[in-house]
C-alpha cells in the first residue's frame, strides 16, 4: 500500500475524481497510471502519477505511454468506422469483397459485421504456428485465410482476443492501402495531436512504461485445452508471455493488443467519437458504429453477456462492463485494466492507462469509483 503525489490538472468540480484516482494507490497497489476525462470537448481531468517501472525508480510523466492491450481494439474500430463514413466500407458485405483470399475453408459468406461483433467463428488458429508468428502480419493473415470457422458464423459470439486485429486490420489495409497502424497515425492520432501508436517507434521507448504482471497471476483458466476459450486466449498468452516490454512486441502492429498510449490520448479520441459532428466521424457514422447495439450474447470465450456495437463494447448495467448509467456508452477495455469509452449523450470521453495489471477478465476494481465520481461531478 502506498500513497501518490498526483501531477496534472483537475477542475475543482471534479475533485472526487481526483480522490478516486489517488485511492488506486492505497486500495489497489497502483504503480503508475494516467487518467483523463473530457466533457463537452473540455478537459476537466488530466492527471498522472507513480512510476513506470517495478523498482519505482522512474516517475510517470505527462508524456508517459504504456501498452493498453485490448483497448487498442476500440481505436481500430474507430479506423473502420471512418472507412464506413467515407463510403469505402459496407459492413453488410462479405469480407471476400475486400479480401478475396479470405474465402477459403467455407468463409465466403462471413460479413465485415461478423468480424466487428466477434461472431465470425475465427477466435483462434488451429494450425501449428512457429515461434514469433504472432508478430508476423503476413504469416497470421495467411493462417486466418486457411482457418475454418469454429462455429457457424453469426450464430454465436466468441471474443476474438487477438485475431480481431489481423481480421479487421487486413480489411482496412485491403481497402485503404495503409496498415491499420499507419491509418491510425495519419487519420486519428495525427489530426487529433495525440500520442497513440499501433507499432511503436524505437524513439519512444524511453518514455514507455513497463507492463507489470498481476501479482500471483498464472495462465488464464479455461475448462479444457481444446475449448474455444483455450484456442482464443491461448493464441496470445503463452506465446507473448515475457515479450510485451520488448522492442519486437512494441514495433509490431497488433491492432487487437499492442496499442500504446495514455489516458489523455485515449480520452481525446473518445471525446471526438462522443460528439456529434466531431473531428473524426459524422453524426450518422457515430450513431451507426458506436452506441447502436449490433449483437448481445453470452460470449463463448469470456463466459458472460457482452453487448457489442461495431467493434466496440457497450456498457451493460450490472455486468462486467458497466461504465456509467448510459447503455449507449461505448468503448473498449484492455487486459490488466486500461479503459477508454465515449458517452455520446453526456459528451464524455474517458481514458485510463496503467502499468500494474490486475488479474481476471472483465471488470477491474479500479474503474467503478472513478467512473461513479465522473458522473456525480458532471
Amino acid at each position: 500500500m502506498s500513497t501518490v503525489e498526483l501531477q496534472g490538472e483537475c477542475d475543482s468540480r471534479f475533485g472526487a475524481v481526483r480522490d478516486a484516482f489517488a485511492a488506486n494507490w492505497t486500495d489497489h497497489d497502483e504503480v503508475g497510471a494516467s487518467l483523463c476525462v473530457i466533457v463537452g470537448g473540455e478537459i476537466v481531468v488530466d492527471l498522472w502519477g507513480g512510476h513506470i517501472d517495478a523498482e519505482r525508480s522512474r516517475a510517470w510523466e505527462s508524456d508517459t505511454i504504456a501498452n493498453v492491450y485490448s483497448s487498442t481494439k476500440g481505436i481500430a474500430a474507430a479506423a473502420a468506422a471512418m472507412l464506413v463514413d467515407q463510403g469505402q466500407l459496407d459492413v453488410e458485405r462479405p469480407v471476400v469483397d475486400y479480401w478475396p483470399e479470405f474465402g477459403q475453408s467455407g468463409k465466403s459468406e462471413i460479413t465485415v459485421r461478423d468480424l466487428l461483433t466477434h461472431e465470425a467463428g475465427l477466435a483462434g488458429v488451429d494450425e501449428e504456428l512457429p515461434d514469433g508468428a504472432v508478430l508476423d502480419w503476413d504469416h497470421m493473415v495467411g493462417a486466418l485465410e486457411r482457418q475454418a470457422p469454429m462455429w457457424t458464423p453469426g450464430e454465436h459470439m466468441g471474443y476474438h482476443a487477438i485475431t480481431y486485429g489481423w481480421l479487421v486490420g487486413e480489411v482496412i489495409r485491403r481497402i485503404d492501402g495503409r496498415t491499420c497502424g499507419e491509418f491510425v497515425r495519419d487519420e486519428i492520432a495525427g489530426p487529433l495531436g495525440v500520442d497513440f501508436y499501433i507499432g511503436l517507434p524505437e524513439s519512444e521507448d524511453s518514455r514507455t512504461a513497463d507492463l507489470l504482471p498481476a501479482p500471483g497471476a498464472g495462465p488464464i483458466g479455461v475448462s479444457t485445452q481444446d475449448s474455444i476459450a483455450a484456442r482464443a486466449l491461448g493464441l496470445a498468452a503463452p506465446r507473448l508471455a515475457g515479450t510485451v516490454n520488448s522492442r519486437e512486441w512494441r514495433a509490431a502492429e497488433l491492432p487487437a493488443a499492442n496499442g500504446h498510449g495514455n489516458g489523455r490520448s485515449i480520452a481525446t479520441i473518445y471525446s471526438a467519437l462522443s460528439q456529434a459532428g466531431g473531428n473524426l466521424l459524422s453524426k450518422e457514422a457515430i450513431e451507426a458504429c458506436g452506441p447502436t447495439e449490433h449483437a448481445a450474447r453470452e460470449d463463448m470465450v469470456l463466459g458472460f453477456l457482452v453487448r457489442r456495437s461495431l467493434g466496440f463494447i457497450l456498457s451493460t448495467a450490472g455486468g462486467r462492463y458497466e461504465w456509467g448509467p448510459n447503455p449507449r456508452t461505448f468503448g473498449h477495455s484492455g487486459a490488466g485494466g486500461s479503459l477508454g469509452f465515449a458517452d455520446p449523450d453526456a459528451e464524455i470521453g474517458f481514458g485510463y492507462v496503467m502499468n500494474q495489471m490486475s488479474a481476471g477478465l472483465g471488470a477491474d476494481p479500479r474503474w467503478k469509483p472513478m467512473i461513479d465520481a465522473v458522473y456525480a461531478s458532471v
Side-chain angles (χ1 to χ4, degrees), residues 96-145:
V96 293
D97 286 358
Y98 305 102
W99 174 8
E101 299 89 341
F102 178 82
Q104 302 173 47
S105 304
K107 300 196 299 298
S108 61
E109 301 301 315
I110 292 177
T111 66
V112 176
R113 178 197 297 275
D114 293 328
L115 302 186
L116 290 165
T117 58
H118 299 253
E119 295 178 294
L122 299 170
V125 172
D126 291 330
E127 69 181 59
E128 188 67 26
L129 296 173
D131 290 344
V134 294
L135 302 182
D136 184 331
W137 185 274
D138 290 338
H139 190 102
M140 295 310 302
V141 165
L144 285 165
E145 290 172 351

Side-chain angles (χ1 to χ4, degrees), residues 251-301:
E253 288 193 22
L254 286 86
N258 83 331
H260 287 74
N262 52 29
R264 186 185 309 116
S265 61
I266 291 178
T268 300
I269 293 169
Y270 277 107
S271 174
L273 295 175
S274 77
Q275 298 179 78
N279 295 330
L280 294 181
L281 295 169
S282 68
K283 179 179 179 180
E284 293 74 20
I286 291 172
E287 187 65 30
C289 298
T292 298
E293 181 180 288
H294 287 263
R297 303 176 187 267
E298 179 168 324
D299 189 288
M300 298 171 70
V301 172

Side-chain angles (χ1 to χ4, degrees), residues 64-326:
T64 295
I65 56 178
N67 183 11
V68 299
Y69 274 123
S70 287
S71 292
T72 313
K73 291 182 175 73
I75 312 305
M82 292 179 74
L83 293 177
V84 171
D85 204 15
Q86 296 164 10
Q88 298 190 68
L89 174 61
D90 182 347
V91 300
E92 306 298 343
R93 288 174 61 181
V95 175
V96 293
D97 286 358
Y98 305 102
W99 174 8
E101 299 89 341
F102 178 82
Q104 302 173 47
S105 304
K107 300 196 299 298
S108 61
E109 301 301 315
I110 292 177
T111 66
V112 176
R113 178 197 297 275
D114 293 328
L115 302 186
L116 290 165
T117 58
H118 299 253
E119 295 178 294
L122 299 170
V125 172
D126 291 330
E127 69 181 59
E128 188 67 26
L129 296 173
D131 290 344
V134 294
L135 302 182
D136 184 331
W137 185 274
D138 290 338
H139 190 102
M140 295 310 302
V141 165
L144 285 165
E145 290 172 351
R146 295 184 291 273
Q147 176 68 35
M150 297 176 174
W151 62 81
T152 301
E155 289 191 1
H156 301 285
M157 177 191 293
Y159 187 41
H160 291 41
I162 189 164
T163 58
Y164 170 99
W166 298 304
L167 293 167
V168 175
E170 184 66 8
V171 170
I172 291 171
R173 189 182 73 84
R174 294 295 179 115
I175 293 170
D176 182 78
R178 288 172 289 183
T179 67
C180 186
E182 291 168 343
F183 188 97
V184 168
R185 179 195 65 202
D186 296 343
E187 305 297 337
I188 297 177
L192 292 178
V194 299
D195 272 334
F196 195 89
Y197 303 86
I198 302 175
L200 185 71
E202 187 173 4
S203 59
E204 311 307 315
D205 278 349
S206 63
R207 63 188 181 98
T208 302
D210 291 334
L211 275 190
L212 309 175
I220 296 171
V222 292
S223 57
T224 64
Q225 286 301 108
D226 62 352
S227 69
I228 289 174
R231 292 153 78 187
L233 300 174
L235 177 62
R239 298 173 185 277
L240 305 182
T243 70
V244 296
N245 296 319
S246 70
R247 173 91 297 267
E248 293 76 16
W249 167 266
R250 292 173 177 175
E253 288 193 22
L254 286 86
N258 83 331
H260 287 74
N262 52 29
R264 186 185 309 116
S265 61
I266 291 178
T268 300
I269 293 169
Y270 277 107
S271 174
L273 295 175
S274 77
Q275 298 179 78
N279 295 330
L280 294 181
L281 295 169
S282 68
K283 179 179 179 180
E284 293 74 20
I286 291 172
E287 187 65 30
C289 298
T292 298
E293 181 180 288
H294 287 263
R297 303 176 187 267
E298 179 168 324
D299 189 288
M300 298 171 70
V301 172
L302 298 175
F304 52 82
L305 172 70
V306 182
R307 300 172 59 236
R308 297 189 185 278
S309 56
L310 293 180
F312 301 100
I313 297 170
L314 288 164
S315 180
T316 302
R320 298 285 188 95
Y321 301 120
E322 182 176 17
W323 306 324
N326 187 358

Side-chain angles (χ1 to χ4, degrees), residues 22-105:
N24 287 340
W25 275 265
T26 57
D27 297 346
H28 300 295
D29 297 321
E30 194 83 276
V31 175
S34 58
L35 172 67
C36 185
V37 182
I38 302 175
V39 180
E42 175 189 359
I43 296 177
V44 296
V45 177
D46 185 15
L47 297 170
W48 60 89
H51 298 86
I52 72 171
D53 57 339
E55 296 76 21
R56 293 171 170 79
S57 63
R58 294 190 291 158
W60 189 294
E61 305 287 358
S62 173
D63 66 346
T64 295
I65 56 178
N67 183 11
V68 299
Y69 274 123
S70 287
S71 292
T72 313
K73 291 182 175 73
I75 312 305
M82 292 179 74
L83 293 177
V84 171
D85 204 15
Q86 296 164 10
Q88 298 190 68
L89 174 61
D90 182 347
V91 300
E92 306 298 343
R93 288 174 61 181
V95 175
V96 293
D97 286 358
Y98 305 102
W99 174 8
E101 299 89 341
F102 178 82
Q104 302 173 47
S105 304

Side-chain angles (χ1 to χ4, degrees), residues 352-363:
Y352 165 68
V353 173
M354 69 319 122
N355 61 348
Q356 177 58 70
M357 299 178 67
S358 64
L361 297 171

